[in-house]
Amino acid sequence: MTSSDQPSPLGPTPLAGPALAAFFSRDAVVVASDLIGARFTVAGVGGRIVETEAYRPDDEASHAFRGPTARNAAMFGSAGRVYIYRSYGIHWCLNFVCTAGSAVLIRAIEPESGLGEMIHRRGTVDMTALCSGPGKLAQALGIDIGQNGLALDEAPFEITLAEPMAVVAGKRIGISKNIDPLWRFGAAGSRFISRRFSRE
């Protein structure tokens, strides 16, 4: 890991400004791993990130592979912004933009705050099912296309680096191209991820 790949210091202060840009202006694979354990909220609703997937611009599975379009424009914007898209015409998916054309899909969080709001939005009291997948997570947090392109240090978002969890890696889910890289990361042993890792 080079000096530019070093994550920002841990602490109670949310990432913002230069610190936010520095954290996300790195290889998406590195960022995806470093995000495990970070706390993320939308208008106070959220918890600890426990599962992510990385997508690089030269990755055939990435929306950015064929270059900028109206849909993926946020992926080519400033690091530390969100890229939101609809999957299968049904579910919103939340991504954090890294270097140009790369992003990290947030697959699951461990619910910690705003539980009542999450339960209401999701229609379930099963804590492990509230945010255990990209679509579930977006629904629970109130994510939609209106937030696409916003910076992570803008309302309603807040992201804070916390003590990291032990991380496991595996192949990404639901793709048919470039399937071999181990670019899905998760908190080891977490009950809140979308799917168990084969190494656990």
Side-chain angles (χ1 to χ4, degrees):
M1 185 180 289
T2 65
S3 58
S4 62
D5 287 329
Q6 294 295 332
S8 303
L10 304 178
T13 304
L15 284 176
L20 179 79
F23 181 84
F24 285 101
S25 295
R26 300 180 297 147
D27 187 325
V29 175
V30 176
V31 174
S33 178
D34 286 347
L35 280 170
I36 301 300
R39 287 186 168 88
F40 174 67
T41 59
V42 181
V45 178
R48 296 193 78 176
I49 296 172
V50 293
E51 187 182 357
T52 60
E53 284 182 349
Y55 290 86
R56 288 172 168 165
D58 59 351
D59 170 15
E60 288 185 278
S62 173
H63 290 178
F65 182 66
R66 299 191 184 281
T69 66
R71 182 194 193 199
N72 69 18
M75 291 186 74
F76 294 88
S78 303
R81 293 184 176 273
V82 300
Y83 165 49
I84 297 167
Y85 66 88
R86 194 185 288 276
S87 177
Y88 301 111
I90 303 172
H91 306 294
W92 296 114
C93 293
L94 171 68
N95 301 259
F96 296 166
V97 177
C98 301
T99 55
S102 67
V104 175
L105 172 65
I106 309 303
R107 287 198 57 89
I109 67 169
E110 178 177 340
E112 291 184 331
S113 59
L115 298 181
E117 190 66 33
M118 291 189 200
I119 290 168
H120 174 73
R121 289 168 175 165
R122 290 277 298 117
T124 179
V125 296
D126 182 351
M127 293 296 105
T128 62
L130 284 180
C131 303
S132 55
K136 295 177 183 179
L137 181 153
Q139 184 180 21
L141 300 188
I143 297 292
D144 62 37
I145 195 64
Q147 297 150 344
N148 186 45
L150 293 180
L152 284 164
D153 57 359
E154 292 182 69
F157 304 124
E158 186 172 287
I159 184 166
T160 305
L161 299 183
E163 283 297 325
M165 299 174 167
V167 177
V168 291
K171 295 181 179 181
R172 294 174 295 181
I173 297 171
I175 59 173
S176 59
K177 298 179 179 179
N178 199 23
I179 62 174
D180 291 328
L182 304 181
W183 291 351
R184 180 169 75 104
F185 301 93
S190 175
R191 300 182 298 119
F192 300 94
I193 60 175
S194 64
R195 187 182 300 179
R196 289 181 60 85
F197 288 78
S198 59
R199 297 182 180 183
E200 291 189 295

